[in-house]
């Protein structure tokens, strides 16, 4: 299964800035139907798009901490507010 271009665009943006949190409103503003993205993620990854975003943010933060960045700076850089 190949990733549709509209989903790949969102994934590329998340890779560039893991602190982004795409909500349904954000997706609609881009002309995307949130339910379509949710179904695609459930079918292809077994998790929702929101869960994918959380997992991606946590994994990115964990890699930064492993490479020596401080926990506080990493948390804020990864989109966590506390």
């Amino acid at each position: 299964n190949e990733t549709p271009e509209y989903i790949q665009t969102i994934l590329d943006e998340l890779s560039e800035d893991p602190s982004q949190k795409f909500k349904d409103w954000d997706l609609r503003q881009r002309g995307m139907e949130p339910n379509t993205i949710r179904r695609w993620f459930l079918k292809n990854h077994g998790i929702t798009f929101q869960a994918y975003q959380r997992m991606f943010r946590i994994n990115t933060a964990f890699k930064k901490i492993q490479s020596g960045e401080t926990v506080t700076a990493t948390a804020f850089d990864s989109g966590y507010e506390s």
Side-chain angles (χ1 to χ4, degrees), residues 6-82:
Y6 64 96
I7 291 178
Q8 189 59 54
T9 299
I10 296 293
L11 296 177
D12 291 345
E13 288 184 43
L14 280 174
S15 292
E16 290 175 22
D17 183 5
S19 69
Q20 289 192 71
K21 298 175 186 174
F22 291 101
K23 299 188 188 295
D24 288 356
W25 183 88
D26 301 311
L27 298 172
R28 283 190 191 99
Q29 292 298 310
R30 296 163 176 262
M32 300 175 189
E33 178 54 46
N35 287 328
T36 303
I37 293 175
R38 262 192 291 281
R39 283 191 298 269
W40 188 88
F41 269 89
L42 282 171
K43 178 181 176 189
N44 291 280
H45 295 289
I47 59 175
T48 64
F49 178 57
Q50 300 302 328
Y52 177 88
Q53 288 184 93
R54 281 192 305 274
M55 180 185 69
F56 188 81
R57 213 169 21 259
I58 289 169
N59 286 338
T60 301
F62 184 67
K63 288 176 187 175
K64 287 181 176 185
I65 292 168
Q66 282 185 317
S67 70
E69 292 190 36
T70 66
V71 172
T72 303
T74 298
F76 289 122
D77 289 346
S78 299
Y80 294 98
E81 297 171 2
S82 62

